[in-house]
Amino acid sequence: MNTLKNLMNVFFPRSCKGCLTLLLLNEKTICSNCRHELPLTNHYRNPENETFKRFYGRLPLQHASSIVYFHKKGIAQQLIHQLKYKGAQEVGTFFGTYYSEFLLEVPSLNDVSEIIPVPLHPKKTRERGYNQVTEFGKTLASGLNIPYNDTLLHRNFYSNTQTKKNILGRTELTSELFGIKYSEKDYGKHFLLIDDVITTGSTLEACAKTLLKIPKVKISIVTIAYAQ
């Protein structure tokens, strides 16, 4: 079996999604060096962490955390770029597998009902071919043994990056950016909202406020990266 794997590596070499060097036989997704260099936040250990504080006065959250810090030209930026634009959905799987183990230790997440991804507009999904947080969310759901629900929220507007910035900068449009289809069975649930990177937090805030239209729900947030 090892011989076959070695031959596969010769003809179909696997590269690290962090530094793009060839992976060794026992390495997966990212190399040992990049794994060691991940700028971990350890947010899960501190309820009053930076991600949580970003939503002070904006959202009533049970928990908020990010896995790694996002720095320009850093390894997190490279990994998110590979995930978002190069089809490397295994990056999401890697982070979901890694973080679910730690989230099991967070008491405020013990009653989470469902994991909800920030949705893409259907046109954007067709263009990209996937939502970059899908595998992250599904892997988290598996590790936490809770459902993954990508049908509750939907995005109302298709936008390029600049249009998105304009929309998110206008309060009256931000509130309409996402729509929701819920029923009485969704009342009182605790939703874990996920995304790839948190920058200003405007997108996550718009999603969370849409979810809060459901009576008696609770909201938590987890992202792969936190942009300082």
Side-chain angles (χ1 to χ4, degrees):
M1 182 63 71
N2 282 341
T3 301
L4 177 59
K5 287 183 177 179
N6 285 328
L7 285 172
M8 290 291 288
N9 237 1
V10 170
F11 293 105
F12 304 99
R14 302 173 302 120
S15 63
C16 171
K17 301 307 178 185
C19 65
L20 305 182
T21 60
L22 292 180
L23 291 173
L24 300 178
L25 183 62
N26 63 333
E27 295 174 334
K28 188 176 181 180
T29 307
I30 67 173
C31 67
S32 298
N33 287 338
C34 284
R35 184 185 287 257
H36 180 72
E37 294 298 323
L38 284 173
L40 299 174
T41 67
N42 292 315
H43 279 175
Y44 72 95
R45 293 177 176 172
N46 175 20
E48 298 288 317
N49 62 66
E50 294 150 300
T51 300
F52 188 84
K53 289 179 179 179
R54 185 149 292 186
F55 295 100
Y56 273 178
R58 299 163 68 180
L59 292 172
L61 297 179
Q62 307 302 306
H63 168 89
S65 65
S66 303
I67 306 172
V68 293
Y69 289 113
F70 184 100
H71 298 123
K72 192 171 183 179
K73 297 184 179 178
I75 183 174
Q77 183 184 42
Q78 170 67 17
L79 289 169
I80 295 297
H81 181 81
Q82 291 288 317
L83 169 63
K84 197 167 183 176
Y85 302 111
K86 301 296 183 181
Q89 297 186 70
E90 62 267 34
V91 171
T93 302
F94 166 79
F95 279 116
T97 301
Y98 171 82
Y99 208 46
S100 59
E101 180 179 346
F102 297 107
L103 292 182
L104 287 170
E105 301 175 12
V106 179
S108 58
L109 296 178
N110 287 344
D111 64 342
V112 168
S113 309
E114 293 177 352
I115 291 179
I116 310 293
V118 170
L120 296 180
H121 189 273
K123 182 178 178 181
K124 179 69 74 174
T125 303
R126 290 193 297 271
E127 289 174 353
R128 185 172 294 164
Y130 59 97
N131 184 331
Q132 68 271 15
V133 297
T134 295
E135 293 307 316
F136 174 57
K138 287 183 176 180
T139 308
L140 275 182
S142 177
L144 299 176
N145 195 30
I146 55 178
Y148 176 80
N149 185 346
D150 62 357
T151 62
L152 186 63
L153 279 180
H154 61 271
R155 189 181 289 259
N156 290 326
F157 301 105
Y158 171 81
S159 60
N160 56 32
T161 302
Q162 189 57 49
T163 304
K164 180 180 176 182
K165 289 179 181 178
N166 292 338
I167 289 174
L168 291 176
R170 297 172 61 183
T171 304
E172 70 275 12
L173 287 180
T174 301
S175 63
E176 301 170 2
L177 187 57
F178 299 97
I180 191 168
K181 294 180 180 179
Y182 65 90
S183 64
E184 191 172 341
K185 68 179 178 63
D186 296 307
Y187 291 7
K189 285 185 175 181
H190 183 178
F191 296 115
L192 178 57
L193 183 63
I194 62 164
D195 204 1
D196 52 356
V197 183
I198 176 174
T199 50
T200 65
S202 295
T203 299
L204 285 160
E205 181 182 0
C207 280
K209 286 182 174 178
T210 303
L211 288 170
L212 286 168
K213 293 177 181 178
I214 305 173
K216 299 179 181 180
V217 301
K218 296 188 291 185
I219 306 291
S220 292
I221 288 174
V222 164
T223 70
I224 295 175
Y226 176 90
Q228 291 180 301

